């Protein structure tokens, strides 16, 4: 399978979508959509890691490109943090933890896949 050289940057828009989903979280935990939106965020981030690992497996880029993907995704995560109005402080606290963990997971997945593909 041949992929374009920019296919690895799919990690950035997927993180942007997950970050913007935080704006849809209702203020009350008793709202029926509260856990559904969190589930959608987690599902989006898991799909992001899987798709990113698959793309990296097929492309086998260098380490500098992996770090470039990470920095672009970090910028995509920062945009909703400053653009989304967090109604409660819980969202403001949990956003960096969830999104930072996802970025770290994608970075680890990228490195593991590259090392596995090259050995």
């Amino acid at each position: 399978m041949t992929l374009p050289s920019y296919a690895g940057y799919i990690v950035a828009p997927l993180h942007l979508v997950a970050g913007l989903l935080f704006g849809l979280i209702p203020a009350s935990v008793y709202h029926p959509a509260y856990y559904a939106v969190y589930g959608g965020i987690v599902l989006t981030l898991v799909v992001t890691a899987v798709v990113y690992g698959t793309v990296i497996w097929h492309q086998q880029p260098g380490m500098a490109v992996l770090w470039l993907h990470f920095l672009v995704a970090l910028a995509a995560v920062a945009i909703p943090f400053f653009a989304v109005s967090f109604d409660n402080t819980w969202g403001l606290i949990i956003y960096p933890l969830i999104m930072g963990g996802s970025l770290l997971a994608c970075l680890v997945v990228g490195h593991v896949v590259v090392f596995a593909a090259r050995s």
Side-chain angles (χ1 to χ4, degrees), residues 54-90:
T54 305
V55 168
I56 295 303
W57 179 263
H58 290 291
Q59 284 187 337
Q60 297 182 3
M63 291 300 148
V65 174
L66 287 178
W67 281 94
L68 188 60
H69 292 167
F70 175 76
L71 291 175
V72 170
L74 184 64
V77 166
I79 291 169
F81 185 72
F82 294 110
V84 172
S85 172
F86 293 101
D87 293 337
N88 54 7
T89 55
W90 177 249

Side-chain angles (χ1 to χ4, degrees), residues 88-113:
N88 54 7
T89 55
W90 177 249
L92 191 60
I93 293 169
I94 201 74
Y95 181 85
L97 295 174
I98 290 176
M99 299 305 283
S102 175
L103 284 172
L104 184 63
C106 284
L107 188 63
V108 168
V109 164
H111 279 82
V112 166
V113 168

